[in-house]
Amino acid sequence: MPPSGNSSRSRSRGTDSVDDITSGAPGSGFPVLEEGQSPVLEITYRVSMLILNKTAGVFSKPSKRKVYEFLRSFNIYPGTLFLHKLVLGIETSCDDTAAAVVDETGNVLGEAMHSQTEVHLKTGGIIPPVAQQLHRENIQRIVQEALSVSRISPSELSAIATTIKPGLALSLGVGLSFSLQLVDQLKKPFIPIHHMEAHALTIRLTNKVEFPFLVLLISGGHCLLALVRGVSDFLLLGKSLDIAPGDMLDKVARRLSLIRHPECSTMSGGKAIEHLAKQGNRFHFDIKPPMQRAKNCDFSFSGLQHVIDKTIMQKEKEEGIEKGQILSSAADIAAAVQHTTACHLAKRTHRAILFCKQRNLLSQSNAVLVVSGGVASNLYIRKALEIVTNATQCTLLCPPPRLCTDNGIMIAWNGIERLRAGLGILHNIEGVRYEPKCPLGVDISKEVGEAAIKVPRLKMKI
């Protein structure tokens, strides 16, 4: 949603140490401001300098001029009041450093992001210590940019929401450490965010979606089906038993050496597969979807990856080329693996819809399936899922592609959802820890498997 530019705002001012802050006393670290300076600007400057200087190891000390430029961009209006709840969301769970400010009506007031994709493409995958260092180098700038674009000051925030689970441990640590120091200095509530909960709820920012609804979350690190009954009320129907679909597609792209393909050199593995698949013929390779006999909603992609690896090795022998060179059949392999992945996702999702309707967990007539996560931006997979929703009288909804991948907006919005519901709002941050592995909701996947629902065969003409 577009930023709201006409809201009136004012600074909320703490009184505990304002006199000390504004005194410019020797040794305080604050310069004496010019005579005639706006009192509101002066106080805000002092407070901001204190926060910036005290957040040791994260903020570097800015110059006086830069801080003034930063503050002046906020449009300070003494005596006015910003009426909406405002949440700053911070996301560092994997390889994107992102931040955003969102209000309770869903207006995105400001956002900023630093992507590490280009760096990790060169190394052939995400190296956690490298991702950690890049987060450290960029998090201050990204948060400041999001606040600056939003034209609010940190003192106007209602809370700070940050991804603390699940994700890469080293990456999560950077975001959490930064956020806790900011929370401590600003004396704001902290809202810990489950990354997958944020993906699931993003649709409620862009569409009017009521609970309950079914969600399929598919990305490079996750794959799960869940029934969303409330802001923090999830029933887990199924999940990947090994690797995620995005991870599998990335590995196939690397095995095909698509980074050397002139049309795919700047694309992530999943994007490269989707792009090349448009030029290929999936019928040239007969690859069966995994787990066809298992009547549950779990997924598996490692076996599929192994089959593709063997296929590529065989084709390399047939074409007489070495590993690392581009196969003439690369587009056909890409098309086949994409189709098989789509069919696997579609069948398990179909069973989840039937299970939920059978148990009256979803409406019989106007049920909603939400598909989110990085892989949800794959249009071929979306079309396969649309075949399922058409056959089951459901509505398929997907967030815009830019909100399917990791971003600060979804974290801030999850914070707004929790703030409105009064759930998980911490005023004491002692003992808060990040969790690299963390399930979502209550796991009823065993019950789904015991139901052993047979899924009608659908023609996947895409």
Side-chain angles (χ1 to χ4, degrees):
M1 292 186 182
S4 174
N6 299 316
S7 302
S8 59
R9 310 172 177 91
S10 69
R11 296 291 181 266
S12 58
R13 298 189 280 275
T15 58
D16 290 347
S17 57
V18 168
D19 288 342
D20 291 338
I21 293 170
T22 58
S23 66
S28 67
F30 301 107
V32 179
L33 302 190
E34 290 84 353
E35 190 175 346
Q37 190 81 50
S38 162
V40 178
L41 180 59
E42 182 175 339
I43 291 172
T44 310
Y45 171 79
R46 303 295 189 188
V47 173
S48 298
M49 281 296 295
L50 179 65
I51 292 167
L52 292 173
N53 287 338
K54 282 195 173 182
T55 312
V58 181
F59 284 112
S60 59
K61 184 176 179 180
S63 69
K64 174 181 170 182
R65 179 182 61 81
K66 286 183 178 179
V67 173
Y68 271 131
E69 289 174 356
F70 181 60
L71 292 173
R72 284 198 179 101
S73 71
F74 292 148
N75 272 349
I76 301 167
Y77 299 108
T80 59
L81 179 66
F82 195 87
L83 298 176
H84 294 311
K85 290 182 174 68
L86 297 165
V87 172
L88 168 66
I90 298 174
E91 157 64 23
T92 63
S93 67
C94 191
D95 61 337
D96 288 319
T97 312
V101 178
V102 175
D103 74 12
E104 63 184 320
T105 66
N107 286 320
V108 179
L109 303 179
E111 62 172 314
M113 177 183 289
H114 176 266
S115 175
Q116 303 177 8
T117 300
E118 191 175 333
V119 172
H120 299 306
L121 275 175
K122 292 176 182 176
T123 58
I126 297 171
I127 301 173
V130 174
Q132 178 190 44
Q133 183 58 35
L134 290 172
H135 282 307
R136 283 175 173 166
E137 291 172 3
N138 291 285
I139 190 167
Q140 175 199 344
R141 175 179 62 83
I142 291 303
V143 170
Q144 286 183 329
E145 281 183 16
L147 286 169
S148 184
V149 171
S150 71
R151 302 184 72 80
I152 68 161
S153 75
S155 62
E156 290 175 300
L157 295 169
S158 305
I160 295 170
T162 303
T163 306
I164 70 160
K165 57 188 176 183
L168 299 177
L170 296 179
S171 294
L172 288 169
V174 175
L176 180 57
S177 174
F178 179 93
S179 299
L180 293 183
Q181 291 180 72
L182 200 57
V183 164
D184 183 58
Q185 294 300 325
L186 292 172
K187 307 304 178 190
K188 298 291 182 181
F190 181 61
I191 306 176
I193 299 297
H194 191 297
H195 186 75
M196 305 315 290
E197 178 180 299
H199 271 305
L201 297 177
T202 301
I203 197 68
R204 284 167 50 85
L205 171 69
T206 59
N207 298 72
K208 186 176 175 56
V209 179
E210 301 296 334
F211 301 117
F213 60 88
L214 186 66
V215 67
L216 171 65
L217 300 178
I218 42 178
S219 68
H222 308 279
C223 181
L224 62 86
L225 273 162
L227 182 72
V228 189
R229 301 192 298 182
V231 171
S232 63
D233 185 0
F234 291 76
L235 295 180
L236 183 65
L237 306 175
K239 64 183 184 298
S240 176
L241 301 177
D242 36 64
I243 63 175
D247 186 24
M248 182 272 296
L249 292 172
D250 285 345
K251 287 175 178 175
V252 171
R254 283 200 294 274
R255 185 62 184 83
L256 286 170
S257 303
L258 296 189
I259 196 169
R260 297 186 180 184
H261 194 289
E263 296 177 21
C264 306
S265 60
T266 61
M267 297 178 182
S268 65
K271 286 291 183 186
I273 292 289
E274 183 179 10
H275 176 79
L276 208 58
K278 295 173 185 175
Q279 307 168 23
N281 186 339
R282 66 178 177 84
F283 294 105
H284 286 179
F285 295 93
D286 184 23
I287 303 171
K288 303 294 183 186
M291 301 180 70
Q292 292 192 85
R293 293 184 180 179
K295 292 183 173 62
N296 56 34
C297 290
D298 289 326
F299 305 86
S300 174
F301 296 96
S302 61
L304 178 57
Q305 182 198 331
H306 181 65
V307 169
I308 296 296
D309 283 347
K310 288 178 66 177
T311 301
I312 293 171
M313 192 180 300
Q314 181 62 35
K315 294 303 292 183
E316 285 172 341
K317 288 180 181 179
E318 290 177 12
E319 294 186 19
I321 66 171
E322 296 180 358
K323 182 178 179 180
Q325 294 179 289
I326 305 292
L327 285 168
S328 63
S329 56
D332 296 336
I333 293 173
V337 69
Q338 179 177 251
H339 181 76
T340 304
T341 301
C343 289
H344 184 42
L345 291 168
K347 187 171 184 179
R348 319 312 276 185
T349 303
H350 193 171
R351 179 174 286 112
I353 293 171
L354 296 177
F355 174 83
C356 288
K357 288 195 172 187
Q358 188 182 91
R359 302 297 172 93
N360 290 317
L361 297 171
L362 279 177
S363 168
Q364 298 296 324
S365 57
N366 59 351
V368 172
L369 169 67
V370 172
V371 184
S372 191
V375 178
S377 61
N378 183 300
L379 297 181
Y380 191 94
I381 289 173
R382 283 196 192 188
K383 288 176 182 176
L385 293 166
E386 193 171 8
I387 291 172
V388 171
T389 54
N390 288 341
T392 52
Q393 291 78 53
C394 292
T395 299
L396 174 65
L397 294 176
C398 302
R402 74 186 189 93
L403 295 183
C404 281
T405 52
D406 294 350
N407 61 87
I409 294 172
M410 71 179 192
I411 306 304
W413 175 248
N414 197 167
I416 288 287
E417 290 264 37
R418 283 184 162 269
L419 200 61
R420 291 193 302 202
L423 295 168
I425 305 162
L426 305 183
H427 296 276
N428 182 354
I429 56 176
E430 188 177 349
V432 176
R433 299 287 185 270
Y434 60 83
E435 301 175 52
K437 294 183 178 180
C438 183
L440 179 68
V442 177
D443 190 343
I444 63 165
S445 57
K446 185 178 179 182
E447 185 180 336
V448 176
E450 289 171 351
I453 295 173
K454 188 174 181 180
V455 176
R457 188 179 181 88
L458 298 178
K459 290 184 179 180
M460 288 294 169
K461 292 184 177 180
I462 306 171

